Amino acid sequence: MDVQLVQPARVDERHFPVDEVDPLSGVLHVTQQVKIVDRKLVFAPPKNGKLRDVPLPDSVASALAEHMTAFPPAEVTLPWMRPDGEPVTRLLYFTGAEGGAVWRNAFNAHAWKPALAAAGVIPKPGPGERYKESREDGMHALRHFYASVLLDSGESIKALSAYLGHADAGFTLRTYTHLMPSSETRTRKAVDEMYRRARRPPTAP
């Protein structure tokens, strides 16, 4: 779950083929997604064809390595772009219980919502009840969390837009402007950091 919390990929892009992850270079290549076409799963390019490279933090690369040790990647074969498309086989980090690609609805019902309930974000259902519908707490919220972390750290809207795969940085700005630190907050952080550096004991020559 740590991997999912700090990556900007859309839900359908989070299957992570092993050859798209480059921990040595610190890069995640987003080149495909698993989507539903006519009730069948297919491999396809990312939304709007936005192939992109995203910085891969060491902490996320380490979490992926631990996941790979506990749950070895599995080869998954799906048609390309449409149900009658050319079969494509990829080695995926994340697969379903039977080794196939993960269906979004199954993940939502059997992994995501139980995790939300365990964390107290949504109520646990009673006997015979379903989990509460909560669109704002869906998997897409992880992209918003990622955006908020980067913006709070001073990342630019242009860079964030590229990482999220948006076609227009203006859309990114309109969507996330409320998450951007105010000028007052940035000023306080800048001055506080300057004083923290000034107060550090000098290092030995």
Side-chain angles (χ1 to χ4, degrees):
M1 185 60 71
D2 291 344
V3 175
Q4 302 288 352
L5 284 175
V6 287
Q7 284 302 307
R10 295 178 174 87
V11 173
D12 294 333
E13 296 168 348
R14 288 195 176 116
H15 293 78
F16 292 161
V18 171
D19 60 1
E20 288 190 357
V21 178
D22 186 353
L24 295 180
S25 300
V27 175
L28 169 66
H29 307 288
V30 181
T31 65
Q32 69 167 44
Q33 62 173 318
V34 174
K35 63 186 295 185
I36 300 174
V37 176
D38 295 334
R39 300 184 180 182
K40 296 183 182 297
L41 294 182
V42 302
F43 285 130
K47 185 177 179 181
N48 298 323
K50 294 293 289 186
L51 307 181
R52 60 197 189 275
D53 289 344
V54 177
L56 179 69
D58 291 341
S59 56
V60 177
S62 177
L64 276 172
E66 291 178 7
H67 178 87
M68 183 187 293
T69 299
F71 305 97
E75 287 191 341
V76 173
T77 301
L78 293 174
W80 181 250
M81 294 189 65
R82 59 183 191 272
D84 62 348
E86 188 74 19
V88 173
T89 299
R90 303 300 301 271
L91 187 65
L92 303 183
Y93 274 102
F94 303 107
T95 56
E98 298 180 359
V102 177
W103 285 78
R104 181 196 302 186
N105 290 342
F107 179 84
N108 190 47
H110 301 297
W112 181 245
K113 285 192 173 181
L116 291 179
V121 177
I122 62 175
K124 294 181 180 180
E129 296 179 345
R130 294 184 177 182
Y131 285 100
K132 173 188 174 184
E133 290 296 328
S134 182
R135 184 176 179 81
E136 65 272 18
D137 296 318
M139 284 283 290
H140 202 73
L142 299 184
R143 278 167 62 85
H144 299 320
F145 175 76
Y146 177 86
S148 70
V149 170
L150 264 63
L151 290 174
D152 189 60
S153 298
E155 185 58 275
S156 70
I157 282 290
K158 182 178 180 180
L160 177 62
S161 179
Y163 301 155
L164 294 175
H166 288 165
D168 175 24
F171 173 81
T172 311
L173 178 61
R174 292 189 298 273
T175 302
Y176 295 111
T177 187
H178 66 288
L179 296 178
M180 297 179 68
S182 66
S183 59
E184 294 88 349
T185 299
R186 291 196 301 270
T187 297
R188 284 191 287 269
K189 283 186 174 182
V191 174
D192 285 343
E193 179 58 26
M194 182 273 294
Y195 276 111
R196 276 194 290 270
R197 289 197 302 266
R199 290 169 180 162
R200 288 172 185 163
T203 57

